[in-house]
Short mmCIF file of all heavy atoms in Angstrom, two decimals:
data_model
loop_
_atom_site.label_atom_id
_atom_site.label_comp_id
_atom_site.label_asym_id
_atom_site.label_seq_id
_atom_site.Cartn_x
_atom_site.Cartn_y
_atom_site.Cartn_z
N GLU N 126 119.06 28.67 -33.90
CA GLU N 126 120.43 28.48 -33.38
C GLU N 126 120.63 29.28 -32.10
O GLU N 126 121.25 28.81 -31.14
CB GLU N 126 121.46 28.89 -34.44
CG GLU N 126 121.54 27.91 -35.61
CD GLU N 126 122.32 28.47 -36.79
OE1 GLU N 126 122.78 29.63 -36.73
OE2 GLU N 126 122.47 27.73 -37.79
N VAL N 127 120.08 30.50 -32.06
CA VAL N 127 120.18 31.32 -30.85
C VAL N 127 119.36 30.70 -29.73
O VAL N 127 119.78 30.65 -28.57
CB VAL N 127 119.74 32.78 -31.14
CG1 VAL N 127 119.62 33.59 -29.86
CG2 VAL N 127 120.72 33.45 -32.09
N MET N 128 118.19 30.17 -30.05
CA MET N 128 117.37 29.47 -29.04
C MET N 128 118.11 28.26 -28.49
O MET N 128 118.04 27.99 -27.27
CB MET N 128 116.04 29.04 -29.65
CG MET N 128 115.09 30.18 -29.94
SD MET N 128 113.57 29.54 -30.69
CE MET N 128 112.73 31.06 -31.09
N ASP N 129 118.79 27.52 -29.37
CA ASP N 129 119.59 26.37 -28.92
C ASP N 129 120.62 26.81 -27.89
O ASP N 129 120.81 26.17 -26.86
CB ASP N 129 120.32 25.70 -30.10
CG ASP N 129 119.36 24.96 -31.03
OD1 ASP N 129 118.22 24.68 -30.62
OD2 ASP N 129 119.76 24.67 -32.18
N LEU N 130 121.28 27.93 -28.19
CA LEU N 130 122.31 28.44 -27.28
C LEU N 130 121.70 28.87 -25.95
O LEU N 130 122.24 28.57 -24.88
CB LEU N 130 123.04 29.63 -27.93
CG LEU N 130 124.05 30.24 -26.98
CD1 LEU N 130 125.45 29.78 -27.29
CD2 LEU N 130 123.96 31.73 -26.95
N LEU N 131 120.56 29.56 -26.01
CA LEU N 131 119.90 30.02 -24.78
C LEU N 131 119.42 28.84 -23.95
O LEU N 131 119.55 28.85 -22.72
CB LEU N 131 118.72 30.94 -25.14
CG LEU N 131 119.11 32.30 -25.73
CD1 LEU N 131 117.91 32.95 -26.41
CD2 LEU N 131 119.66 33.22 -24.66
N ASP N 132 118.90 27.81 -24.62
CA ASP N 132 118.48 26.59 -23.90
C ASP N 132 119.68 25.95 -23.21
O ASP N 132 119.61 25.56 -22.04
CB ASP N 132 117.85 25.59 -24.88
CG ASP N 132 116.43 25.96 -25.28
OD1 ASP N 132 115.75 26.64 -24.49
OD2 ASP N 132 116.01 25.58 -26.38
N LYS N 133 120.78 25.87 -23.97
CA LYS N 133 122.00 25.23 -23.44
C LYS N 133 122.58 26.02 -22.26
O LYS N 133 123.05 25.45 -21.28
CB LYS N 133 123.04 25.14 -24.56
CG LYS N 133 124.19 24.21 -24.27
CD LYS N 133 125.08 24.08 -25.49
CE LYS N 133 126.33 23.30 -25.18
NZ LYS N 133 127.25 23.23 -26.33
N ALA N 134 122.53 27.34 -22.37
CA ALA N 134 123.06 28.20 -21.31
C ALA N 134 122.07 28.38 -20.17
O ALA N 134 122.37 29.02 -19.16
CB ALA N 134 123.44 29.56 -21.89
N ALA N 135 120.86 27.81 -20.33
CA ALA N 135 119.78 27.92 -19.33
C ALA N 135 119.45 29.38 -19.03
O ALA N 135 119.24 29.77 -17.88
CB ALA N 135 120.15 27.17 -18.05
N VAL N 136 119.41 30.21 -20.08
CA VAL N 136 119.03 31.61 -19.94
C VAL N 136 117.57 31.75 -20.36
O VAL N 136 117.19 31.38 -21.47
CB VAL N 136 119.92 32.51 -20.84
CG1 VAL N 136 119.42 33.96 -20.81
CG2 VAL N 136 121.38 32.46 -20.40
N SER N 137 116.74 32.25 -19.46
CA SER N 137 115.32 32.43 -19.76
C SER N 137 115.14 33.43 -20.90
O SER N 137 115.76 34.49 -20.90
CB SER N 137 114.60 32.95 -18.50
OG SER N 137 113.28 33.34 -18.81
N TYR N 138 114.30 33.06 -21.88
CA TYR N 138 114.04 33.99 -22.98
C TYR N 138 112.56 33.98 -23.35
O TYR N 138 111.86 33.01 -23.12
CB TYR N 138 114.91 33.67 -24.20
CG TYR N 138 114.71 32.31 -24.82
CD1 TYR N 138 113.84 32.11 -25.89
CD2 TYR N 138 115.40 31.19 -24.32
CE1 TYR N 138 113.66 30.86 -26.46
CE2 TYR N 138 115.22 29.93 -24.89
CZ TYR N 138 114.35 29.77 -25.95
OH TYR N 138 114.17 28.53 -26.51
N GLN N 139 112.13 35.11 -23.88
CA GLN N 139 110.72 35.29 -24.25
C GLN N 139 110.67 35.84 -25.67
O GLN N 139 111.37 36.80 -25.99
CB GLN N 139 110.05 36.26 -23.27
CG GLN N 139 108.56 36.43 -23.51
CD GLN N 139 107.87 37.12 -22.34
OE1 GLN N 139 108.49 37.46 -21.34
NE2 GLN N 139 106.57 37.33 -22.46
N VAL N 140 109.85 35.22 -26.51
CA VAL N 140 109.75 35.66 -27.91
C VAL N 140 108.82 36.87 -28.01
O VAL N 140 107.74 36.91 -27.43
CB VAL N 140 109.25 34.52 -28.81
CG1 VAL N 140 108.84 35.03 -30.20
CG2 VAL N 140 110.34 33.46 -28.96
N VAL N 141 109.30 37.89 -28.76
CA VAL N 141 108.52 39.09 -29.04
C VAL N 141 108.41 39.21 -30.55
O VAL N 141 109.42 39.27 -31.25
CB VAL N 141 109.20 40.34 -28.45
CG1 VAL N 141 108.41 41.60 -28.82
CG2 VAL N 141 109.35 40.23 -26.94
N LEU N 142 107.19 39.23 -31.06
CA LEU N 142 107.00 39.43 -32.50
C LEU N 142 107.02 40.92 -32.80
O LEU N 142 106.35 41.71 -32.13
CB LEU N 142 105.66 38.85 -32.95
CG LEU N 142 105.44 37.35 -32.72
CD1 LEU N 142 104.03 36.94 -33.13
CD2 LEU N 142 106.47 36.52 -33.48
N THR N 143 107.84 41.33 -33.76
CA THR N 143 107.90 42.73 -34.17
C THR N 143 107.15 42.91 -35.49
O THR N 143 106.88 41.93 -36.20
CB THR N 143 109.36 43.20 -34.35
OG1 THR N 143 109.96 42.43 -35.40
CG2 THR N 143 110.16 43.05 -33.07
N LYS N 144 106.80 44.17 -35.79
CA LYS N 144 106.15 44.52 -37.07
C LYS N 144 104.85 43.74 -37.29
O LYS N 144 104.51 43.37 -38.41
CB LYS N 144 107.12 44.31 -38.23
CG LYS N 144 108.47 45.01 -38.02
CD LYS N 144 109.44 44.81 -39.17
CE LYS N 144 110.80 45.41 -38.86
NZ LYS N 144 111.77 45.29 -39.94
N ALA N 145 104.14 43.50 -36.18
CA ALA N 145 102.89 42.73 -36.27
C ALA N 145 101.81 43.47 -37.06
O ALA N 145 100.86 42.86 -37.54
CB ALA N 145 102.38 42.39 -34.87
N ASP N 146 101.98 44.79 -37.21
CA ASP N 146 101.00 45.56 -37.99
C ASP N 146 101.17 45.35 -39.49
O ASP N 146 100.31 45.75 -40.28
CB ASP N 146 101.15 47.06 -37.68
CG ASP N 146 102.54 47.59 -38.00
OD1 ASP N 146 103.52 46.95 -37.55
OD2 ASP N 146 102.66 48.63 -38.68
N LYS N 147 102.27 44.71 -39.89
CA LYS N 147 102.55 44.51 -41.32
C LYS N 147 101.84 43.28 -41.89
O LYS N 147 101.88 43.03 -43.09
CB LYS N 147 104.06 44.36 -41.56
CG LYS N 147 104.91 45.49 -41.01
CD LYS N 147 104.66 46.80 -41.71
CE LYS N 147 105.61 47.89 -41.22
NZ LYS N 147 105.20 49.23 -41.66
N ILE N 148 101.23 42.47 -41.01
CA ILE N 148 100.46 41.32 -41.49
C ILE N 148 99.04 41.42 -40.93
O ILE N 148 98.81 42.12 -39.94
CB ILE N 148 101.12 39.96 -41.12
CG1 ILE N 148 101.22 39.79 -39.59
CG2 ILE N 148 102.50 39.82 -41.76
CD1 ILE N 148 101.74 38.41 -39.16
N LYS N 149 98.11 40.72 -41.55
CA LYS N 149 96.70 40.82 -41.14
C LYS N 149 96.47 40.12 -39.79
O LYS N 149 97.16 39.14 -39.47
CB LYS N 149 95.81 40.20 -42.21
CG LYS N 149 95.79 41.02 -43.50
CD LYS N 149 94.82 40.46 -44.51
CE LYS N 149 94.54 41.45 -45.63
NZ LYS N 149 95.74 41.87 -46.35
N PRO N 150 95.49 40.62 -38.99
CA PRO N 150 95.23 40.04 -37.66
C PRO N 150 95.09 38.51 -37.64
O PRO N 150 95.64 37.86 -36.73
CB PRO N 150 93.95 40.75 -37.22
CG PRO N 150 94.02 42.09 -37.91
CD PRO N 150 94.65 41.81 -39.24
N PRO N 151 94.37 37.88 -38.59
CA PRO N 151 94.29 36.42 -38.55
C PRO N 151 95.67 35.75 -38.69
O PRO N 151 95.91 34.70 -38.08
CB PRO N 151 93.39 36.07 -39.75
CG PRO N 151 92.62 37.31 -40.04
CD PRO N 151 93.54 38.43 -39.69
N ALA N 152 96.54 36.37 -39.49
CA ALA N 152 97.90 35.82 -39.68
C ALA N 152 98.71 35.96 -38.38
O ALA N 152 99.51 35.08 -38.05
CB ALA N 152 98.61 36.54 -40.83
N VAL N 153 98.49 37.05 -37.64
CA VAL N 153 99.17 37.24 -36.35
C VAL N 153 98.75 36.13 -35.38
O VAL N 153 99.58 35.51 -34.72
CB VAL N 153 98.86 38.64 -35.73
CG1 VAL N 153 99.45 38.75 -34.32
CG2 VAL N 153 99.41 39.76 -36.61
N LEU N 154 97.44 35.88 -35.32
CA LEU N 154 96.92 34.83 -34.43
C LEU N 154 97.48 33.45 -34.80
O LEU N 154 97.87 32.68 -33.92
CB LEU N 154 95.39 34.79 -34.49
CG LEU N 154 94.67 35.93 -33.77
CD1 LEU N 154 93.17 35.86 -34.02
CD2 LEU N 154 94.95 35.90 -32.27
N ARG N 155 97.54 33.19 -36.09
CA ARG N 155 98.09 31.90 -36.55
C ARG N 155 99.56 31.78 -36.19
O ARG N 155 100.01 30.74 -35.69
CB ARG N 155 97.90 31.78 -38.07
CG ARG N 155 98.20 30.38 -38.61
CD ARG N 155 97.71 30.18 -40.03
NE ARG N 155 98.34 31.10 -40.97
CZ ARG N 155 97.70 32.10 -41.60
NH1 ARG N 155 96.41 32.30 -41.39
NH2 ARG N 155 98.33 32.88 -42.44
N LEU N 156 100.32 32.87 -36.39
CA LEU N 156 101.75 32.87 -36.06
C LEU N 156 101.98 32.70 -34.56
O LEU N 156 102.88 31.96 -34.14
CB LEU N 156 102.40 34.17 -36.56
CG LEU N 156 103.90 34.33 -36.31
CD1 LEU N 156 104.70 33.23 -36.99
CD2 LEU N 156 104.39 35.70 -36.78
N LEU N 157 101.14 33.35 -33.75
CA LEU N 157 101.24 33.19 -32.29
C LEU N 157 101.05 31.73 -31.90
O LEU N 157 101.82 31.18 -31.10
CB LEU N 157 100.19 34.05 -31.58
CG LEU N 157 100.48 35.55 -31.47
CD1 LEU N 157 99.24 36.32 -31.05
CD2 LEU N 157 101.62 35.83 -30.50
N GLY N 158 100.05 31.07 -32.49
CA GLY N 158 99.78 29.67 -32.19
C GLY N 158 100.92 28.76 -32.62
O GLY N 158 101.36 27.89 -31.85
N GLU N 159 101.42 28.99 -33.84
CA GLU N 159 102.53 28.16 -34.36
C GLU N 159 103.79 28.33 -33.51
O GLU N 159 104.48 27.35 -33.18
CB GLU N 159 102.85 28.57 -35.81
CG GLU N 159 101.80 28.14 -36.82
CD GLU N 159 102.01 28.79 -38.18
OE1 GLU N 159 103.01 29.54 -38.34
OE2 GLU N 159 101.18 28.56 -39.08
N THR N 160 104.07 29.58 -33.14
CA THR N 160 105.28 29.87 -32.35
C THR N 160 105.17 29.25 -30.97
O THR N 160 106.13 28.68 -30.44
CB THR N 160 105.50 31.39 -32.25
OG1 THR N 160 105.47 31.96 -33.57
CG2 THR N 160 106.84 31.72 -31.62
N GLU N 161 103.99 29.36 -30.38
CA GLU N 161 103.74 28.77 -29.05
C GLU N 161 104.01 27.27 -29.06
O GLU N 161 104.65 26.72 -28.15
CB GLU N 161 102.29 29.05 -28.67
CG GLU N 161 102.04 29.18 -27.19
CD GLU N 161 100.64 29.69 -26.91
OE1 GLU N 161 100.42 30.92 -26.97
OE2 GLU N 161 99.77 28.84 -26.65
N THR N 162 103.53 26.60 -30.11
CA THR N 162 103.72 25.16 -30.24
C THR N 162 105.20 24.81 -30.33
O THR N 162 105.68 23.86 -29.69
CB THR N 162 102.98 24.63 -31.49
OG1 THR N 162 101.59 24.97 -31.35
CG2 THR N 162 103.11 23.13 -31.62
N ARG N 163 105.94 25.58 -31.12
CA ARG N 163 107.38 25.32 -31.29
C ARG N 163 108.16 25.56 -30.00
O ARG N 163 109.14 24.87 -29.72
CB ARG N 163 107.94 26.19 -32.42
CG ARG N 163 107.42 25.79 -33.79
CD ARG N 163 107.87 26.72 -34.87
NE ARG N 163 109.25 26.53 -35.24
CZ ARG N 163 109.81 27.10 -36.31
NH1 ARG N 163 109.10 27.88 -37.09
NH2 ARG N 163 111.08 26.88 -36.59
N LEU N 164 107.72 26.52 -29.21
CA LEU N 164 108.45 26.86 -27.98
C LEU N 164 108.22 25.86 -26.85
O LEU N 164 109.01 25.78 -25.92
CB LEU N 164 108.07 28.26 -27.50
CG LEU N 164 108.52 29.44 -28.39
CD1 LEU N 164 108.05 30.74 -27.82
CD2 LEU N 164 110.04 29.44 -28.57
N LYS N 165 107.13 25.10 -26.94
CA LYS N 165 106.82 24.12 -25.88
C LYS N 165 107.93 23.10 -25.71
O LYS N 165 108.12 22.55 -24.62
CB LYS N 165 105.50 23.42 -26.19
CG LYS N 165 104.29 24.22 -25.77
CD LYS N 165 103.00 23.51 -26.11
CE LYS N 165 101.81 24.40 -25.75
NZ LYS N 165 100.56 23.90 -26.33
N LYS N 166 108.67 22.85 -26.79
CA LYS N 166 109.75 21.85 -26.74
C LYS N 166 111.05 22.43 -26.20
O LYS N 166 112.04 21.72 -26.09
CB LYS N 166 109.98 21.28 -28.15
CG LYS N 166 108.76 20.62 -28.75
CD LYS N 166 108.95 20.39 -30.24
CE LYS N 166 107.65 19.90 -30.88
NZ LYS N 166 107.69 19.97 -32.34
N ARG N 167 111.05 23.71 -25.90
CA ARG N 167 112.31 24.37 -25.50
C ARG N 167 112.31 24.68 -24.01
O ARG N 167 111.42 25.35 -23.50
CB ARG N 167 112.52 25.63 -26.33
CG ARG N 167 112.74 25.30 -27.81
CD ARG N 167 113.20 26.49 -28.59
NE ARG N 167 113.70 26.08 -29.90
CZ ARG N 167 114.94 25.72 -30.15
NH1 ARG N 167 115.83 25.69 -29.17
NH2 ARG N 167 115.31 25.36 -31.37
N ALA N 168 113.37 24.21 -23.36
CA ALA N 168 113.45 24.25 -21.89
C ALA N 168 113.45 25.66 -21.32
O ALA N 168 112.81 25.93 -20.29
CB ALA N 168 114.70 23.51 -21.43
N ALA N 169 114.18 26.59 -21.94
CA ALA N 169 114.36 27.92 -21.33
C ALA N 169 113.37 28.96 -21.84
O ALA N 169 113.40 30.11 -21.42
CB ALA N 169 115.79 28.41 -21.57
N ALA N 170 112.47 28.56 -22.77
CA ALA N 170 111.54 29.52 -23.37
C ALA N 170 110.40 29.84 -22.41
O ALA N 170 109.79 28.95 -21.84
CB ALA N 170 110.99 28.98 -24.68
N TYR N 171 110.12 31.13 -22.25
CA TYR N 171 108.98 31.58 -21.47
C TYR N 171 107.73 31.40 -22.33
O TYR N 171 107.74 31.75 -23.51
CB TYR N 171 109.19 33.05 -21.08
CG TYR N 171 108.23 33.58 -20.06
CD1 TYR N 171 108.41 33.30 -18.70
CD2 TYR N 171 107.14 34.36 -20.43
CE1 TYR N 171 107.53 33.79 -17.75
CE2 TYR N 171 106.25 34.85 -19.50
CZ TYR N 171 106.45 34.57 -18.15
OH TYR N 171 105.57 35.05 -17.21
N PRO N 172 106.63 30.87 -21.79
CA PRO N 172 105.50 30.48 -22.64
C PRO N 172 104.75 31.64 -23.31
O PRO N 172 104.21 31.48 -24.38
CB PRO N 172 104.58 29.71 -21.69
CG PRO N 172 105.00 30.11 -20.31
CD PRO N 172 106.44 30.46 -20.39
N GLN N 173 104.70 32.80 -22.66
CA GLN N 173 103.91 33.91 -23.21
C GLN N 173 104.67 34.61 -24.33
O GLN N 173 105.85 34.96 -24.19
CB GLN N 173 103.58 34.91 -22.10
CG GLN N 173 102.71 36.07 -22.56
CD GLN N 173 102.75 37.25 -21.61
OE1 GLN N 173 103.52 37.28 -20.66
NE2 GLN N 173 101.94 38.24 -21.88
N ILE N 174 103.99 34.82 -25.47
CA ILE N 174 104.58 35.53 -26.61
C ILE N 174 103.88 36.88 -26.73
O ILE N 174 102.67 36.98 -26.56
CB ILE N 174 104.39 34.72 -27.91
CG1 ILE N 174 105.07 33.36 -27.78
CG2 ILE N 174 104.94 35.46 -29.11
CD1 ILE N 174 104.55 32.31 -28.72
N VAL N 175 104.66 37.93 -27.01
CA VAL N 175 104.09 39.28 -27.13
C VAL N 175 104.20 39.74 -28.58
O VAL N 175 105.28 39.72 -29.16
CB VAL N 175 104.84 40.28 -26.21
CG1 VAL N 175 104.18 41.66 -26.27
CG2 VAL N 175 104.88 39.78 -24.77
N ALA N 176 103.07 40.15 -29.16
CA ALA N 176 103.07 40.70 -30.52
C ALA N 176 103.08 42.23 -30.43
O ALA N 176 102.27 42.82 -29.71
CB ALA N 176 101.83 40.23 -31.28
N THR N 177 104.02 42.86 -31.14
CA THR N 177 104.19 44.31 -31.01
C THR N 177 104.25 45.00 -32.38
O THR N 177 104.52 44.38 -33.40
CB THR N 177 105.51 44.65 -30.27
OG1 THR N 177 106.62 44.23 -31.08
CG2 THR N 177 105.57 44.00 -28.91
N SER N 178 104.02 46.30 -32.34
CA SER N 178 104.28 47.17 -33.48
C SER N 178 104.85 48.48 -32.95
O SER N 178 104.18 49.18 -32.19
CB SER N 178 102.99 47.45 -34.26
OG SER N 178 103.16 48.58 -35.10
N SER N 179 106.08 48.79 -33.32
CA SER N 179 106.69 50.06 -32.89
C SER N 179 105.96 51.25 -33.48
O SER N 179 105.78 52.27 -32.83
CB SER N 179 108.16 50.11 -33.32
OG SER N 179 108.87 49.02 -32.80
N GLU N 180 105.54 51.10 -34.74
CA GLU N 180 104.87 52.21 -35.44
C GLU N 180 103.52 52.53 -34.83
O GLU N 180 103.18 53.68 -34.62
CB GLU N 180 104.67 51.85 -36.92
CG GLU N 180 105.85 52.20 -37.79
CD GLU N 180 105.59 51.94 -39.26
OE1 GLU N 180 104.43 52.07 -39.70
OE2 GLU N 180 106.55 51.57 -39.96
#
Side-chain angles (χ1 to χ4, degrees):
E126 288 167 359
V127 171
M128 289 179 186
D129 289 343
L130 176 101
L131 291 163
D132 284 333
K133 194 174 173 184
V136 174
S137 170
Y138 62 94
Q139 184 166 359
V140 167
V141 177
L142 300 177
T143 62
K144 307 180 186 182
D146 59 310
K147 306 294 185 193
I148 61 175
K149 291 185 166 58
V153 174
L154 286 174
R155 190 167 61 248
L156 180 60
L157 283 167
E159 288 169 3
T160 308
E161 210 170 277
T162 302
R163 291 175 75 170
L164 292 179
K165 278 179 184 167
K166 301 166 188 166
R167 294 191 167 272
Y171 191 80
Q173 182 198 7
I174 300 159
V175 184
T177 66
S178 163
S179 302
E180 273 184 33

